[in-house]
Each structure stands twice: as structure tokens, then as C-alpha cells.
Amino acid sequence: MRHQPVHPVLVVIAHGSRDPRHAATVHALVRRLRSLRPGLRVETGFLDFNIPSVNGVLESLAAEGVQDVVTQPLLLTRAFHAKSDIPAVLRAAPARLRIRQAEVLGPSPLLTAALERRLYEAGLGPADKSSTGVVLASAGSSDPEAIAVIAEIAREWRHTGWCAVRPAFASASLPRTQDAVRELRALGCARVAVAPYVLAPGYLPDRIARGAAEADVLADVLGPAPEVARVLLERYDQARLPALAAVGA
């Protein structure tokens, strides 16, 4: 049996995809996370398509004698996966594990900073903000709470100096990316950029990219941006605070 870790093990829960770019991006993000906090043990589990599964990771940890775990959904909004899928998986975990589920990553000023990082990497600069309209393109959801969060992020981001910011969705909700691009053109923005508010490549991000065909700039997905890794650590620390308080740490 291994020595018990000083801090709860962090289990990052990713959705999984048939697209190999998805898992590769998740693993790159986890590597960056480990580099930011070398003493923290981080494991990765997938809900579907990829291995190891979340169940498999949790069972392995329990077999090692690990007791305390923080699970971190790799999700940007509280929609179906956060509210239903992941809690169901965690209810089936070995009883000996003390599991705390961290909050989803968004919204966060760090994620907005990551979006701007990707736009600048795609060729824009701070001087372009006042003449550039941005499409905040998310995967989409049928959950009204998740949709409202995306709309609020767009409203707040507009106040940082962009010509305009409009939300768009690759599925389940409207408008689509291409429609938001055309709306920004009609508003008179000199250029239009699309910022995918997604963590990893896959089917829906590819749909966003196709919808950006008439835009001037298409940013990359958030992926292993350092700001995303920092949000992960923030959520982990917030989730483990009750345990720390209980032992007077």
C-alpha cells in the first residue's frame, strides 16, 4: 500500500472523444497542471470513448489505499454532464473514497484572459480591440443556465474594449457561429474574430471552425493554456478547503 498523499489526489474528468486530438489536448493540459504544482498527484479519467475510465481510475486509487480525492470536471459550464453524468459516476465509486467534486471551470477572468491569449496568438493585438468584433463560440447546450452564462461572459468581455462581442453555439442553441459573424459585419466592425470557448478539438469545435469561414481571424481552442491550468488549481483548492478547515490546516 502506498503512503497516503499529503493532499487529496486530483482526478481530472474529461468527456472523451473519438477524435484523438481531444485526449492529446487533455493530457497536455494535465502536464501543464503538474508543472505548476509538482507535489500534487493528478490522474485523468474519461467519461466515454477514451481510457482510462473515471470508474477505473477511482477503483485503482481505492485499491492503493488512497482515501481523499477531488474530482475536477473539465467543463466550462454547469450543464447536463456536471449536473447528472458526473454525479452518477461518482455515486458508483468505491465507498472507501472521500470524494469532493470541484466546480466547473467557468466563468472565470482567467478563462477570458486565455481567450484573449488565443486571439493574440492568431494575429490580433491589443490595438485591434476597438475595431474588432468577437464571436464567443461555445459548444452549446439545452440547459438555460449554461446558455445564460455564455451570454453574460460575452456582455462582460465587451466592456474590456472590443468593438462588440456576440455569443454563438455549435449545437442545441442559436445563433450559429456564421450568423454571429454576419451580425458583427452588419454592425460595422472592421474585422471579425471567432474565439472558440471550448477546451479541446473535436466534432463541435470543427463545426465552429466551419462557421468561422467568413471571419478574419479564428483562434485556437483553449487547450493547455496556462490560464486554464491555473483555473483548475483554483477549483481544486476551493474544493479541498472544507477538509483543510476540518483538520485546522
Side-chain angles (χ1 to χ4, degrees):
M1 184 179 297
R2 294 186 183 180
H3 181 69
Q4 279 292 309
V6 176
H7 303 295
V9 174
L10 172 57
V11 176
V12 173
I13 300 179
H15 183 274
S17 171
R18 292 186 178 91
D19 188 323
R21 296 173 299 167
H22 174 90
T25 302
V26 170
H27 292 311
L29 175 57
V30 170
R31 285 194 297 272
R32 185 177 290 276
L33 180 62
R34 289 177 177 138
S35 73
L36 291 178
R37 192 170 296 182
L40 175 62
R41 181 176 177 184
V42 185
E43 303 290 345
T44 307
F46 295 89
L47 290 172
D48 207 354
F49 301 116
N50 303 104
I51 56 173
S53 68
V54 178
N55 281 333
V57 170
L58 295 175
E59 288 171 3
S60 294
L61 291 172
E64 289 179 20
V66 170
Q67 295 177 343
D68 292 304
V69 172
V70 170
T71 57
Q72 173 63 64
L74 271 189
L75 299 171
L76 295 171
T77 58
R78 274 185 51 79
F80 181 77
H81 293 305
K83 295 177 178 179
S84 180
D85 281 358
I86 292 176
V89 170
L90 298 184
R91 284 194 295 271
R96 68 173 297 158
L97 292 177
R98 291 191 292 264
I99 299 175
R100 291 180 292 283
Q101 181 178 334
E103 290 295 326
V104 297
L105 301 181
S108 167
L110 285 169
L111 294 178
T112 306
L115 288 166
E116 296 213 358
R117 170 191 290 276
R118 293 304 189 221
L119 286 170
Y120 295 158
E121 289 170 350
L124 294 177
D128 298 317
K129 293 182 73 168
S130 63
S131 59
T132 302
V134 178
V135 178
L136 178 68
S138 79
S141 173
S142 58
D143 187 306
E145 178 187 350
I147 297 304
V149 167
I150 300 299
E152 180 61 23
I153 293 170
R155 281 192 293 270
E156 291 185 1
W157 200 14
R158 162 67 180 84
H159 296 313
T160 66
W162 296 101
C163 174
V165 181
R166 293 290 186 272
F169 308 94
S171 68
S173 306
L174 296 174
R176 295 286 182 258
T177 302
Q178 57 268 31
D179 297 323
V181 168
R182 290 165 188 157
E183 180 186 352
L184 290 171
R185 291 271 189 229
L187 282 175
C189 297
R191 66 181 63 79
V192 176
V194 174
Y197 190 58
V198 292
L199 288 167
Y203 175 75
L204 292 178
D206 283 349
R207 181 180 287 180
I208 290 171
R210 290 193 297 272
E214 297 178 19
D216 301 293
V217 174
L218 171 62
D220 199 359
V221 299
L222 295 174
E227 295 87 354
V228 178
R230 286 170 57 196
V231 175
L232 275 161
L233 288 176
E234 282 188 359
R235 298 292 184 256
Y236 168 81
D237 289 335
Q238 291 163 357
R240 71 188 182 98
L241 278 176
L244 291 175
V247 297

